[in-house]
Amino acid sequence: MNVAGKRLLILGAGRGQAGLYKAAREMGIRAIAGTMPGDNLPGISLADEIRYMNIADPDEVAEKAANLELDGAATCCLDTGISALGRICDALKLTGIGEDAAIMCNDKSRMKKAFMEHGVSTAQYFEISSEQELEEALGNIPLPVIIKATDLQGSSGIYIARTKEAAFEGFRMAMQLTKRSCCIVEEFIEGWEFGAQAFVYRGEVLFVMPHGDETFMSHTAVPVGHYVPLECSRDVQRQTEEVLRKAIRAIGLNNCAVNADLILRDNKVYVIEITGRVGANCLPELVEINYGVEYYKMIAAMAVGADPLEYWKMRPPVRTAGYAKMLFSTEQKGILKDIRYTGRMSGDIVEITFFRKPGDEIRVFENSNDCIGQMIVKGRTLDDCRRKLEEMTEEIRIDV
């Protein structure tokens, strides 16, 4: 595969995009960082060029991208630039997510409507723009419910409400955060939450990889770990693949990685939401571990118009277990004095990375921005991975 010299705009330059920059460099692709001016983000030092832009503004991104002589554009682990990515892929005829699908990924209300229209199993919902409309919706959806801002990413603007008073408070907080004139209230399906990664190329879903999610309960459940394979029945695996393929068609996703949040209740799989990019918090690395492929390179190759199947065809016949876990503080806060791993590095340790250095602030965990670091391991079985993570955790020293 000869992609050397191809020009790839990567939207975002944070830690979630670092793997994509590294893959582009190894492939000889010229990586252009599209990012806002600010801190010394990891992608800045990995990029060949830097173009400052507000990646949340499709108009600005399209205007600046038009003069960059691009062969491709991509992002990963980040929702902020999805709409802009769709805009420039359509405008410049690049291989990637289309604008209509990208906009739907950033609008939880439109996404839910598409799910309903295409028969995707999902929670009942109502769009609300006033407390009166919330009152009417609560007459049709039993408590508990979830209030969601429709335009925010991660766990921001999402509130679980088990009482009517909490629902109204969640609505007020969501409306303070959103840039839109409405939010949604939906049935809170209580069950086993998990996720899945997928990849769509030229209309074909190449794979669906269900994965387990380890969460921490803040104002909503925040993912702090992921693992593969998912410990579930064959029927749940079958349902997951079927419902995710249907959801991908409903949104119109194509030529992109896919991240999905799902939940199992009474042996039925429901889709919470999906988006046209790979998941964050080490999920690209878990795809690489599980399938034995260079997933970041697949994403980069597809973006610049090359065939990602060349990487996919090289995967080994045996799948590997993997576990990724974020490091965070539930009690300690203050200024970090020292952080280090005192254990032995072995072949089953894929990565141990610290995001904070001495002098940085450590906050009590509320969302993924409060993470201190991450650990990734692989093994023959999930139990092997869990044992290794426990050993590693005991060897991490944090002095605040």
Side-chain angles (χ1 to χ4, degrees):
M1 179 183 296
N2 184 14
V3 293
K6 296 282 189 180
R7 293 174 59 80
L8 175 65
L9 174 64
I10 298 176
L11 298 181
R15 70 172 187 258
Q17 295 77 59
L20 193 53
Y21 283 99
K22 292 174 183 176
R25 175 169 288 183
E26 291 176 8
M27 298 166 74
I29 293 172
R30 190 166 183 82
I32 305 161
T35 184
M36 291 284 285
D39 297 333
N40 186 24
L41 298 170
I44 299 296
S45 61
L46 296 169
D48 297 293
E49 300 176 27
I50 302 166
R51 294 293 184 272
Y52 291 116
M53 60 185 71
N54 179 5
I55 65 172
D57 185 341
D59 292 335
E60 180 180 336
V61 173
E63 180 182 353
K64 294 186 176 181
N67 301 315
L68 293 177
E69 299 180 345
L70 296 176
D71 297 294
T75 191
C76 61
C77 311
L78 182 70
D79 286 331
T80 307
I82 290 290
S83 293
L85 179 61
R87 171 77 63 85
I88 59 178
C89 283
D90 280 358
L92 302 179
K93 295 180 170 53
L94 304 175
T95 304
I97 187 172
E99 185 175 12
D100 287 345
I103 290 172
M104 207 173 296
C105 288
N106 275 346
D107 189 329
K108 292 179 174 66
S109 182
R110 289 186 60 181
M111 182 185 299
K112 294 285 290 188
K113 183 179 179 182
F115 286 168
M116 292 292 191
E117 290 174 348
H118 288 80
V120 178
S121 60
T122 192
Q124 183 185 11
Y125 85 106
F126 289 93
E127 189 175 280
I128 52 173
S129 56
S130 67
E131 293 192 3
Q132 181 180 347
E133 289 180 351
L134 173 58
E135 181 76 43
E136 293 170 359
L138 292 175
N140 293 284
I141 304 178
L143 291 166
V145 296
I146 299 184
I147 309 293
K148 293 182 178 179
T150 64
D151 58 338
L152 302 178
Q153 61 178 311
S155 57
S156 181
I158 299 178
Y159 303 94
I160 298 171
R162 299 186 180 277
T163 66
K164 182 177 286 190
E165 292 75 17
F168 280 91
E169 179 62 21
F171 169 73
R172 287 188 285 267
M173 290 190 291
M175 292 302 291
Q176 287 174 1
L177 293 171
T178 184
K179 295 179 181 178
R180 298 191 176 140
S181 60
C182 64
C183 62
I184 62 174
V185 56
E186 66 177 41
E187 172 191 10
F188 178 40
I189 298 177
E190 295 191 83
W192 179 42
E193 292 191 38
F194 64 100
Q197 301 300 297
F199 191 83
V200 195
Y201 179 58
R202 294 184 175 177
E204 179 186 353
V205 179
L206 203 59
F207 68 82
V208 172
M209 186 192 82
H211 54 79
D213 295 342
E214 185 178 334
T215 60
F216 178 85
M217 183 55 69
S218 180
H219 56 81
T220 188
V222 182
V224 294
H226 301 292
Y227 57 87
V228 285
L230 182 68
E231 298 171 303
C232 66
S233 68
R234 289 186 179 180
D235 179 61
V236 169
Q237 290 189 22
R238 176 191 59 78
Q239 284 191 59
T240 299
E241 182 156 345
E242 288 180 357
V243 74
L244 187 49
R245 287 177 180 272
K246 188 179 287 188
I248 287 169
R249 289 194 298 270
I251 302 300
L253 294 175
N254 193 21
N255 296 325
C256 62
V258 177
N259 179 61
D261 296 323
L262 307 108
I263 192 164
L264 179 71
R265 182 181 70 180
D266 298 331
N267 294 316
K268 182 176 180 179
V269 175
Y270 296 83
V271 178
I272 299 173
E273 60 184 60
I274 66 173
T275 190
R277 49 86 177 163
V278 67
N281 295 334
C282 310
L283 282 167
E285 287 80 3
L286 287 183
V287 173
E288 294 193 340
I289 290 169
N290 194 229
Y291 285 105
V293 298
E294 295 179 288
Y295 197 41
Y296 284 114
K297 290 184 179 180
M298 283 180 63
I299 294 169
M302 181 173 64
V304 298
D307 186 357
L309 298 182
E310 290 190 25
Y311 290 100
W312 180 247
K313 290 172 183 175
M314 292 189 292
R315 70 192 186 281
V318 178
R319 307 263 297 265
T320 303
Y323 210 123
K325 193 165 185 178
M326 311 309 290
L327 295 168
F328 56 94
S329 173
T330 58
E331 296 178 356
Q332 284 185 307
K333 62 179 180 179
I335 303 302
L336 181 65
K337 291 182 179 179
D338 187 31
I339 184 169
R340 63 192 184 279
Y341 174 63
T342 61
R344 183 178 63 87
M345 294 297 291
S346 58
D348 48 7
I349 298 177
V350 177
E351 179 185 328
I352 178 165
T353 302
F354 299 123
F355 306 144
R356 301 288 186 267
K357 62 183 185 301
D360 288 346
E361 181 186 7
I362 301 298
R363 298 186 295 266
V364 173
F365 185 81
E366 290 187 359
N367 58 56
S368 59
N369 292 325
D370 299 325
C371 288
I372 300 170
Q374 64 189 26
M375 302 180 291
I376 310 173
V377 299
K378 63 181 179 180
R380 233 175 11 92
T381 67
L382 268 179
D383 284 341
D384 291 340
C385 295
R386 290 187 178 105
R387 280 193 295 269
K388 189 60 188 179
L389 283 174
E390 288 175 4
E391 293 171 4
M392 292 172 67
T393 301
E394 291 177 358
E395 297 292 342
I396 293 174
R397 303 290 179 262
I398 302 175
D399 185 13
V400 176

